[in-house]
Amino acid sequence: MRVTRCFVPAPLRTGELRLLPAPVARHVAQVLRAQVGDELTLFDGRGGEYPAQIIELGARAVRVRVEQHHALERESPVSITLLQALARTERMDLIVQKATELGVAAILVWPAERSVARLVGAAVAKRCDHWRAIAIAACEQCGRNRIPRLELITGLSSACTAAATVGALDGKLLLDPEASESLAAVLPSGRSADGLERLQLLIGPEGGISPAEFAQAAAAGFRPCRLGPRVLRTETAPLAALAAIQTLAGDFRR
């Protein structure tokens, strides 16, 4: 039987008795209808996971005993930073969820000239919190023990700068349906013996990346590439590209 996984933001320690955060406790008690003695798997985003056992359970409070830490990771061998143009609500939710499942290390969202959606003021923080909750739920589901970095950046230039702080890069790729080369042809082999180490992937909005943004991306070192003969939606393109990258250089080569 599969054991329920729960994210706990505060650092966990082996042997401690811990009250689960209220939203997690409500889910465990009221949705899952767990019982005293049931097993959970907890992770705090700092690496690895902790088996835990429910020792007290009420309608609003669940106390667990945290057991031995397991240094288990399910991260991709390629650290991928997705620079995703801001899309409409349901499309962005899908991108965040599936990109997390596909192993991205970071998702940097940038408002493109042709983005349909716009976020200002208090909506920025609210939407980022919403996306983070989606990423956390995706990690709980798929087994990841590290939450991807997730930010809304002010523009493409800032996104390129922010992405560069992730670390040394093996390549920067820009999806373009009119590119002369395919993703497989331009995917760099990387510096390590195992292949790629770090990669940036830039995706445009629903209306496509503008000529000015294309020039800006090229100046920042992004190399255009295509996925195939068809034009993909902004929510389809990153997921197809991530799956291809994992196939050619990442998870699926293991």
Side-chain angles (χ1 to χ4, degrees):
M1 184 177 69
R2 181 174 178 177
V3 177
T4 299
R5 289 170 43 83
C6 301
F7 173 69
V8 178
L12 293 162
R13 294 186 298 274
T14 299
E16 72 174 337
L17 303 182
R18 168 71 68 89
L19 278 173
L20 296 181
V24 178
R26 284 195 299 271
H27 181 73
V28 169
Q30 299 176 18
V31 178
L32 301 179
R33 298 187 181 277
Q35 303 294 323
V36 171
D38 285 354
E39 299 288 336
L40 301 172
T41 296
L42 307 180
F43 64 103
D44 58 14
R46 294 165 179 81
E49 59 191 30
Y50 296 78
Q53 186 177 51
I54 298 174
I55 59 172
E56 295 178 24
L57 187 145
R60 298 184 178 180
V62 177
R63 189 184 303 273
V64 300
R65 178 184 295 108
V66 181
E67 299 176 358
Q68 185 67 39
H69 176 256
H70 292 172
L72 179 63
E73 300 294 351
R74 300 180 181 91
E75 297 302 295
S76 171
V78 184
S79 179
I80 305 170
T81 297
L82 174 63
L83 288 82
Q84 172 66 48
L86 179 63
R88 285 181 288 186
T89 303
E90 69 283 358
R91 296 181 178 183
M92 274 306 312
D93 290 356
L94 177 68
I95 292 167
V96 170
Q97 180 188 63
K98 301 309 178 186
T100 299
E101 292 179 26
L102 285 165
V104 297
I107 305 171
L108 305 182
V109 183
W110 57 283
E113 291 181 23
R114 297 172 179 171
S115 287
V116 175
R118 296 293 172 185
L119 295 175
V120 295
V124 173
K126 184 177 180 180
R127 189 54 55 85
C128 286
D129 289 343
H130 173 72
W131 291 334
R132 179 171 170 79
I134 290 174
I136 288 171
C139 286
E140 290 175 336
Q141 181 275 324
C142 74
R144 291 185 66 178
N145 290 321
R146 296 182 184 272
I147 311 299
R149 171 186 173 190
L150 206 156
E151 296 180 36
L152 179 63
I153 309 298
T154 56
L156 179 55
S157 177
S158 298
C160 293
T161 300
T165 65
V166 174
L169 295 168
D170 290 323
K172 300 181 179 183
L173 304 180
L174 163 63
L175 288 192
D176 174 14
E178 298 181 359
S180 60
E181 297 177 291
S182 69
L183 184 147
V186 305
L187 194 65
S189 59
R191 292 186 293 272
S192 71
D194 296 327
L196 282 172
E197 292 178 354
R198 296 181 184 273
L199 183 72
Q200 290 182 13
L201 177 65
L202 177 60
I203 307 293
E206 293 98 327
I209 192 168
S210 72
E213 289 166 339
F214 189 94
Q216 189 176 3
F222 283 88
R223 187 173 179 180
C225 61
R226 68 178 187 280
L227 280 174
R230 294 170 296 281
V231 177
L232 303 181
R233 292 178 179 270
T234 189
E235 72 271 25
T236 307
L239 309 184
L242 290 169
I245 292 168
Q246 297 290 23
T247 300
L248 295 169
D251 286 335
F252 307 151
R253 291 187 62 190
R254 289 177 171 176

Coordinates of all heavy atoms in Angstrom, one line a residue, residues 81-138:
T81 N 16.4 25.0 -15.5 CA 15.7 26.2 -15.2 C 14.7 26.5 -16.3 O 15.2 26.7 -17.4 CB 16.6 27.3 -14.9 OG1 17.5 27.0 -13.8 CG2 15.8 28.6 -14.6
L82 N 13.4 26.5 -16.0 CA 12.4 26.8 -17.0 C 12.1 28.3 -16.9 O 11.6 28.8 -15.9 CB 11.2 26.0 -16.8 CG 10.0 26.3 -17.7 CD1 10.3 26.0 -19.2 CD2 8.8 25.4 -17.2
L83 N 12.4 29.0 -18.0 CA 12.0 30.5 -18.1 C 10.7 30.5 -18.9 O 10.7 30.5 -20.1 CB 13.1 31.3 -18.7 CG 14.3 31.5 -17.9 CD1 15.3 30.3 -18.0 CD2 15.1 32.8 -18.4
Q84 N 9.6 30.5 -18.2 CA 8.3 30.4 -18.8 C 7.5 31.7 -18.9 O 7.3 32.4 -17.9 CB 7.4 29.4 -18.0 CG 5.9 29.3 -18.4 CD 5.8 28.7 -19.8 OE1 6.4 27.7 -20.1 NE2 5.0 29.4 -20.7
A85 N 7.1 32.1 -20.1 CA 6.3 33.3 -20.2 C 5.0 33.2 -19.5 O 4.4 32.1 -19.6 CB 6.1 33.7 -21.7
L86 N 4.5 34.2 -18.9 CA 3.3 34.2 -18.1 C 2.1 33.8 -19.0 O 1.9 34.4 -20.1 CB 3.0 35.5 -17.5 CG 1.7 35.7 -16.7 CD1 1.7 34.7 -15.5 CD2 1.6 37.1 -16.2
A87 N 1.3 32.8 -18.6 CA 0.2 32.4 -19.4 C -1.1 32.5 -18.5 O -1.0 32.8 -17.3 CB 0.4 30.9 -19.8
R88 N -2.2 32.3 -19.1 CA -3.5 32.4 -18.4 C -3.5 31.3 -17.2 O -2.8 30.3 -17.2 CB -4.6 32.2 -19.3 CG -4.9 33.4 -20.2 CD -6.1 33.2 -21.1 NE -5.8 32.3 -22.2 CZ -6.6 32.1 -23.2 NH1 -7.8 32.7 -23.2 NH2 -6.3 31.2 -24.1
T89 N -4.4 31.6 -16.3 CA -4.4 30.9 -15.0 C -4.3 29.4 -15.1 O -3.4 28.8 -14.6 CB -5.7 31.3 -14.2 OG1 -5.7 32.7 -14.0 CG2 -5.7 30.6 -12.8
E90 N -5.2 28.8 -15.8 CA -5.3 27.3 -15.9 C -4.1 26.8 -16.6 O -3.6 25.7 -16.3 CB -6.6 26.8 -16.5 CG -6.8 27.1 -18.0 CD -7.2 28.6 -18.3 OE1 -7.3 29.4 -17.4 OE2 -7.3 28.9 -19.5
R91 N -3.6 27.5 -17.6 CA -2.4 27.0 -18.3 C -1.2 27.1 -17.5 O -0.3 26.2 -17.5 CB -2.2 27.9 -19.6 CG -3.4 27.7 -20.6 CD -3.2 28.5 -21.9 NE -4.4 28.2 -22.8 CZ -4.4 28.7 -24.0 NH1 -3.5 29.5 -24.5 NH2 -5.5 28.4 -24.8
M92 N -1.0 28.2 -16.7 CA 0.2 28.3 -15.8 C 0.1 27.2 -14.8 O 1.1 26.6 -14.4 CB 0.2 29.7 -15.2 CG 0.9 30.7 -16.0 SD 2.6 30.3 -16.5 CE 3.4 29.7 -15.1
D93 N -1.1 26.9 -14.2 CA -1.2 25.9 -13.2 C -0.7 24.5 -13.8 O 0.0 23.8 -13.1 CB -2.7 25.8 -12.8 CG -3.1 27.0 -11.9 OD1 -2.3 27.9 -11.6 OD2 -4.3 27.0 -11.6
L94 N -1.1 24.2 -15.0 CA -0.7 23.0 -15.6 C 0.8 22.9 -15.8 O 1.4 21.9 -15.5 CB -1.4 22.8 -17.0 CG -1.0 21.6 -17.8 CD1 -1.5 20.3 -17.1 CD2 -1.6 21.6 -19.2
I95 N 1.4 24.0 -16.3 CA 2.8 24.1 -16.5 C 3.6 23.9 -15.2 O 4.5 23.1 -15.2 CB 3.2 25.5 -17.2 CG1 2.6 25.6 -18.6 CG2 4.7 25.6 -17.2 CD1 2.7 27.0 -19.1
V96 N 3.2 24.6 -14.2 CA 3.9 24.4 -12.9 C 3.8 23.0 -12.4 O 4.8 22.4 -11.9 CB 3.3 25.4 -11.8 CG1 3.8 25.1 -10.4 CG2 3.6 26.8 -12.2
Q97 N 2.6 22.4 -12.4 CA 2.4 21.1 -11.9 C 3.2 20.1 -12.7 O 4.0 19.3 -12.1 CB 0.9 20.7 -12.0 CG 0.6 19.3 -11.5 CD -0.8 18.9 -11.8 OE1 -1.2 18.8 -13.0 NE2 -1.6 18.7 -10.8
K98 N 3.1 20.1 -14.0 CA 3.8 19.1 -14.8 C 5.3 19.3 -14.9 O 6.0 18.3 -15.0 CB 3.1 19.0 -16.2 CG 1.7 18.6 -16.2 CD 1.4 17.4 -15.4 CE -0.1 17.1 -15.3 NZ -0.4 16.0 -14.4
A99 N 5.7 20.5 -14.9 CA 7.2 20.8 -15.0 C 7.8 20.3 -13.7 O 8.9 19.8 -13.7 CB 7.4 22.3 -15.2
T100 N 7.1 20.5 -12.6 CA 7.6 19.9 -11.3 C 7.7 18.4 -11.4 O 8.7 17.8 -11.0 CB 6.7 20.3 -10.1 OG1 6.6 21.8 -10.0 CG2 7.2 19.8 -8.8
E101 N 6.7 17.8 -11.9 CA 6.7 16.3 -12.0 C 7.9 15.9 -12.9 O 8.5 14.8 -12.7 CB 5.4 15.8 -12.5 CG 4.2 15.9 -11.6 CD 2.9 15.4 -12.2 OE1 3.0 14.5 -13.1 OE2 1.9 15.9 -11.8
L102 N 8.2 16.7 -13.9 CA 9.2 16.4 -14.9 C 10.6 16.8 -14.4 O 11.6 16.6 -15.2 CB 8.9 17.0 -16.3 CG 7.8 16.3 -17.0 CD1 7.3 17.2 -18.2 CD2 8.2 15.0 -17.6
G103 N 10.7 17.3 -13.2 CA 12.0 17.4 -12.5 C 12.7 18.7 -12.7 O 13.9 18.8 -12.4
V104 N 12.0 19.8 -13.1 CA 12.8 21.1 -13.2 C 13.3 21.5 -11.8 O 12.6 21.3 -10.8 CB 11.9 22.2 -13.8 CG1 11.5 21.9 -15.2 CG2 10.7 22.5 -12.9
A105 N 14.4 22.2 -11.8 CA 15.0 22.7 -10.6 C 14.4 24.1 -10.2 O 14.4 24.5 -9.1 CB 16.5 22.8 -10.7
A106 N 14.0 24.9 -11.3 CA 13.5 26.2 -11.0 C 12.5 26.6 -12.1 O 12.7 26.1 -13.3 CB 14.6 27.2 -11.0
I107 N 11.5 27.3 -11.8 CA 10.5 27.9 -12.8 C 10.5 29.4 -12.6 O 10.1 29.9 -11.5 CB 9.1 27.3 -12.6 CG1 9.1 25.8 -12.6 CG2 8.2 27.9 -13.6 CD1 7.8 25.1 -12.3
L108 N 11.0 30.1 -13.5 CA 11.0 31.6 -13.5 C 10.0 32.1 -14.5 O 10.2 31.9 -15.7 CB 12.4 32.1 -13.8 CG 13.6 31.6 -12.9 CD1 14.9 32.3 -13.3 CD2 13.3 31.8 -11.5
V109 N 8.9 32.7 -14.0 CA 7.9 33.2 -14.9 C 8.1 34.6 -15.2 O 8.4 35.5 -14.3 CB 6.5 33.0 -14.1 CG1 5.4 33.4 -15.0 CG2 6.3 31.6 -13.7
W110 N 8.0 35.0 -16.5 CA 8.2 36.3 -16.9 C 7.1 36.8 -17.8 O 6.5 36.1 -18.6 CB 9.5 36.5 -17.7 CG 9.7 35.6 -18.9 CD1 9.9 34.3 -18.9 CD2 9.5 36.0 -20.2 NE1 10.0 33.8 -20.2 CE2 9.7 34.8 -21.0 CE3 9.3 37.2 -20.9 CZ2 9.7 34.9 -22.4 CZ3 9.2 37.2 -22.3 CH2 9.4 36.1 -23.0
P111 N 6.6 38.1 -17.6 CA 5.5 38.7 -18.4 C 6.0 39.1 -19.7 O 6.8 40.0 -19.8 CB 5.0 39.8 -17.5 CG 6.2 40.2 -16.7 CD 7.0 39.0 -16.5
A112 N 5.6 38.4 -20.8 CA 6.1 38.7 -22.1 C 5.2 39.8 -22.7 O 4.1 40.1 -22.2 CB 6.0 37.5 -23.0
E113 N 5.7 40.5 -23.8 CA 4.9 41.5 -24.5 C 3.6 41.0 -24.9 O 2.6 41.7 -24.9 CB 5.7 42.0 -25.7 CG 7.0 42.8 -25.3 CD 7.7 43.3 -26.6 OE1 7.0 43.4 -27.6 OE2 8.9 43.6 -26.5
R114 N 3.5 39.7 -25.3 CA 2.3 39.2 -25.9 C 1.6 38.2 -24.9 O 0.7 37.5 -25.3 CB 2.6 38.4 -27.2 CG 3.1 39.4 -28.3 CD 3.6 38.6 -29.5 NE 4.1 39.4 -30.6 CZ 4.7 39.0 -31.7 NH1 4.9 37.7 -31.8 NH2 5.1 39.8 -32.6
S115 N 2.0 38.3 -23.6 CA 1.2 37.5 -22.6 C -0.2 38.0 -22.5 O -0.4 39.2 -22.4 CB 1.9 37.5 -21.3 OG 3.1 36.8 -21.3
V116 N -1.1 37.1 -22.5 CA -2.5 37.4 -22.3 C -2.8 37.8 -20.9 O -3.5 38.8 -20.6 CB -3.5 36.3 -22.7 CG1 -4.9 36.6 -22.4 CG2 -3.3 36.0 -24.2
A117 N -2.2 37.1 -19.9 CA -2.4 37.4 -18.5 C -1.5 38.5 -18.0 O -0.4 38.7 -18.6 CB -2.2 36.1 -17.7
R118 N -2.0 39.3 -17.0 CA -1.2 40.3 -16.4 C -1.4 40.2 -14.9 O -2.5 40.0 -14.4 CB -1.7 41.7 -16.9 CG -1.4 41.9 -18.4 CD 0.1 42.0 -18.7 NE 0.3 42.0 -20.2 CZ 1.5 41.9 -20.7 NH1 2.6 41.8 -20.0 NH2 1.6 42.0 -22.0
L119 N -0.3 40.4 -14.1 CA -0.4 40.4 -12.7 C 0.2 41.7 -12.1 O 1.3 42.1 -12.5 CB 0.3 39.2 -12.1 CG -0.3 37.8 -12.4 CD1 0.6 36.7 -11.9 CD2 -1.6 37.7 -11.9
V120 N -0.5 42.4 -11.2 CA 0.0 43.6 -10.6 C -0.3 43.6 -9.2 O -1.3 42.9 -8.7 CB -0.5 44.8 -11.3 CG1 -0.1 44.9 -12.8 CG2 -2.1 44.9 -11.2
G121 N 0.4 44.4 -8.4 CA 0.1 44.6 -7.0 C 0.1 43.3 -6.2 O 1.0 42.4 -6.3
A122 N -0.9 43.2 -5.3 CA -1.0 42.1 -4.4 C -1.3 40.8 -5.1 O -1.0 39.7 -4.6 CB -2.2 42.3 -3.4
A123 N -1.7 40.8 -6.4 CA -2.0 39.6 -7.2 C -0.7 38.8 -7.4 O -0.7 37.6 -7.6 CB -2.6 39.9 -8.5
V124 N 0.5 39.5 -7.4 CA 1.7 38.9 -7.7 C 2.1 37.8 -6.6 O 2.3 36.7 -6.9 CB 2.9 39.9 -7.8 CG1 4.2 39.2 -8.0 CG2 2.6 40.8 -9.1
A125 N 2.1 38.3 -5.4 CA 2.4 37.4 -4.2 C 1.4 36.3 -4.1 O 1.7 35.2 -3.8 CB 2.5 38.2 -3.0
K126 N 0.1 36.7 -4.3 CA -1.0 35.7 -4.2 C -0.8 34.6 -5.2 O -1.0 33.4 -4.9 CB -2.3 36.4 -4.4 CG -3.5 35.4 -4.2 CD -4.8 36.2 -4.3 CE -6.0 35.3 -4.1 NZ -7.3 36.0 -4.2
R127 N -0.5 35.0 -6.5 CA -0.4 34.0 -7.5 C 0.9 33.1 -7.3 O 0.9 31.9 -7.5 CB -0.3 34.6 -8.9 CG -0.4 33.6 -10.1 CD -1.6 32.7 -10.0 NE -2.8 33.4 -9.9 CZ -3.5 33.9 -10.9 NH1 -3.0 33.7 -12.1 NH2 -4.6 34.5 -10.7
C128 N 2.0 33.7 -6.8 CA 3.2 32.9 -6.5 C 2.9 31.9 -5.4 O 3.4 30.8 -5.5 CB 4.3 33.9 -6.1 SG 5.0 34.8 -7.5
D129 N 2.2 32.3 -4.4 CA 1.8 31.4 -3.3 C 1.0 30.2 -3.9 O 1.1 29.1 -3.5 CB 1.1 32.1 -2.2 CG 1.9 33.0 -1.4 OD1 3.2 32.9 -1.5 OD2 1.4 33.9 -0.7
H130 N 0.1 30.6 -4.8 CA -0.8 29.6 -5.5 C 0.1 28.6 -6.3 O -0.1 27.3 -6.2 CB -1.8 30.3 -6.4 CG -2.6 29.4 -7.2 ND1 -3.6 28.6 -6.7 CD2 -2.6 29.1 -8.6 CE1 -4.2 27.9 -7.7 NE2 -3.5 28.2 -8.8
W131 N 1.0 29.1 -7.0 CA 1.9 28.2 -7.8 C 2.8 27.3 -6.9 O 3.0 26.1 -7.2 CB 2.8 29.0 -8.7 CG 2.1 29.7 -9.9 CD1 0.9 29.3 -10.4 CD2 2.5 30.9 -10.5 NE1 0.5 30.2 -11.4 CE2 1.5 31.2 -11.5 CE3 3.5 31.8 -10.4 CZ2 1.6 32.3 -12.3 CZ3 3.6 32.9 -11.2 CH2 2.6 33.2 -12.1
R132 N 3.2 27.9 -5.8 CA 4.1 27.1 -4.9 C 3.3 26.0 -4.3 O 3.8 24.8 -4.2 CB 4.6 28.0 -3.8 CG 5.5 27.2 -2.8 CD 6.2 28.2 -1.8 NE 6.9 27.4 -0.8 CZ 8.0 26.8 -0.9 NH1 8.7 26.8 -2.0 NH2 8.5 26.1 0.2
A133 N 2.0 26.2 -4.0 CA 1.1 25.2 -3.4 C 1.0 24.1 -4.5 O 0.9 22.9 -4.1 CB -0.2 25.7 -3.0
I134 N 0.8 24.4 -5.7 CA 0.7 23.4 -6.8 C 2.0 22.6 -6.9 O 1.9 21.4 -7.1 CB 0.4 24.1 -8.1 CG1 -1.0 24.7 -8.1 CG2 0.6 23.1 -9.3 CD1 -1.4 25.5 -9.3
A135 N 3.1 23.3 -6.8 CA 4.4 22.6 -6.9 C 4.6 21.6 -5.7 O 5.1 20.5 -5.9 CB 5.6 23.6 -7.0
I136 N 4.2 22.1 -4.5 CA 4.3 21.2 -3.4 C 3.5 20.0 -3.5 O 3.9 18.8 -3.3 CB 3.9 22.0 -2.1 CG1 5.0 23.0 -1.8 CG2 3.7 21.1 -0.9 CD1 4.6 24.0 -0.7
A137 N 2.2 20.2 -4.0 CA 1.3 19.0 -4.2 C 1.9 18.1 -5.2 O 1.8 16.8 -5.1 CB -0.1 19.5 -4.6
A138 N 2.5 18.6 -6.3 CA 3.1 17.8 -7.3 C 4.3 17.0 -6.7 O 4.5 15.8 -7.1 CB 3.6 18.6 -8.5

